[in-house]
Amino acid sequence: MTNKRLADTGQYESFRDQSGRSIINLAGGFGLQVPQVIEQVYGQAESMGLSNRVLLSEPLIRLCRTVADMLPDSLSTSYVCSSGDEAFEGALKLCKGLHPNRRSIAYLTGGDYGCLSYGRILNNPAENAEIMRFLGINLKPISSTADLQRLDLSHCFAFCHPYVYQGSGGRFAVSPAPLLSEAYALTSKYGVPTIGYDVDTCLGLLGTMFGFQKARLTPDILVIGGGLSGGAIPIGMYVCPESMAYKVYGRSTPAKHGSTTAGNPMSCVAALAALEHAQVIDAPKHCEQNGLALAATLSSLSARPVGGFVAVPLPSNTDRAALRGHLYRAGVFVSHLQGSDLVLRPPVCSRRDNLLQAAERIMEVMTNEVTNAA
């Protein structure tokens, strides 16, 4: 990332970089400088910005109660962390505490599990073999029902899956409910906790408030983050049954679990404001309609909506790094390109007119790419 790609100011789905260029962000999240969130964070900063993890605060308690009220009864106990990636690591730590003698992780391949130790291993085992050896774990990759039928899960301490992944041929899609359903049945047989990685998909980005609602399967542990920050202050949580938490941590307060500033009042207020605003704007419907509108505008490129996301197939000879650079120079910022699709991820609070403007820029760039390739 060069200095020309440093965000200087922004709001909702757009930002201006340090060169003065106006950019439409299609890399996910909640949105930048959303007034309804920022005002509440400023208000909390005036009374108390940070607290250590030993002291509970009213925003922390209110956030845990709010999330518990939004989730199924089994997901009642929250551990608040500094990011979704950190929450995923914490969830795996809890699972290891439940099964200290097991050393394997089963997981759905093709997902993005974040950038910390376990996430890097699951994202790319070959490049992170040293970390895997250091942690002393083995992997049980799952990409089909045939994989499930061959696996002995008796040595696994967790089964992890995202709610979107790169499926057959590297195509971006919602993680297949039939496969997850069969995996849940098998993990239940072996007493393996299931972890739903909802960091990139919560708060409406799949057309449901949470990813498990799209899959219609409730995991043992749900990991959320990403858009939960309201685009203001990073925060993440993993939520699990009280009985599971008690077995490993006893009655220790959830505030003691995580990094030094995890669950600080300002980040909790940001999350509360994001949850409130997501409900006010009916984020699931808003995101899904944005995805449909963006895909319709890009229909000549065979774009297809995936909840609130849009996947545009790329020719096999596409120079992904060059395409990403061309899009940025045209005023559109996208995530790092992997798989066979260009994945557009409009933030939760995206405004329709700006998304359609981004679509026009994408059409121009993609048309030029095809012409140049020919």
Side-chain angles (χ1 to χ4, degrees), residues 88 92 105-113 122-123 140 142 158-165 174-177 179-181 183-184 187 192-201 206 210-224:
F88 181 55
L92 282 165
I105 299 175
Y107 70 107
L108 180 65
T109 61
D112 183 351
Y113 294 96
L122 299 185
N123 291 342
K140 304 289 185 181
I142 296 170
F159 166 65
C160 312
H161 69 86
Y163 291 100
V164 289
Y165 82 132
V174 174
S175 298
L179 176 59
L180 292 182
S181 180
Y184 274 40
T187 55
V192 180
T194 54
I195 301 177
Y197 187 85
D198 202 5
V199 172
D200 301 320
T201 47
L206 275 182
F210 298 100
F212 76 88
Q213 295 165 331
K214 189 80 170 181
R216 298 184 179 181
L217 291 165
T218 302
D220 296 311
I221 305 171
L222 183 69
V223 180
I224 56 178

Side-chain angles (χ1 to χ4, degrees), residues 25 52 71 97 99 106 108 112 125 133 135 141 154 168 201 206 208 211 220 250 276 278 297 310 325 360:
N25 172 35
N52 62 45
L71 298 178
H99 296 292
L108 180 65
D112 183 351
R133 281 193 289 270
L135 294 176
S154 60
S168 176
T201 47
L206 275 182
T208 55
D220 296 311
E276 178 184 16
T297 308
V310 173
E360 293 175 2

Side-chain angles (χ1 to χ4, degrees), residues 261-284:
T261 59
N264 69 79
M266 286 176 62
S267 65
C268 290
V269 165
L272 285 163
L275 289 167
E276 178 184 16
H277 191 58
Q279 291 176 308
V280 168
I281 67 172
D282 192 356

Side-chain angles (χ1 to χ4, degrees), residues 16-27:
R16 190 173 297 279
D17 68 16
Q18 289 192 333
S19 69
R21 183 186 286 114
S22 179
I23 306 295
I24 299 173
N25 172 35
L26 295 183

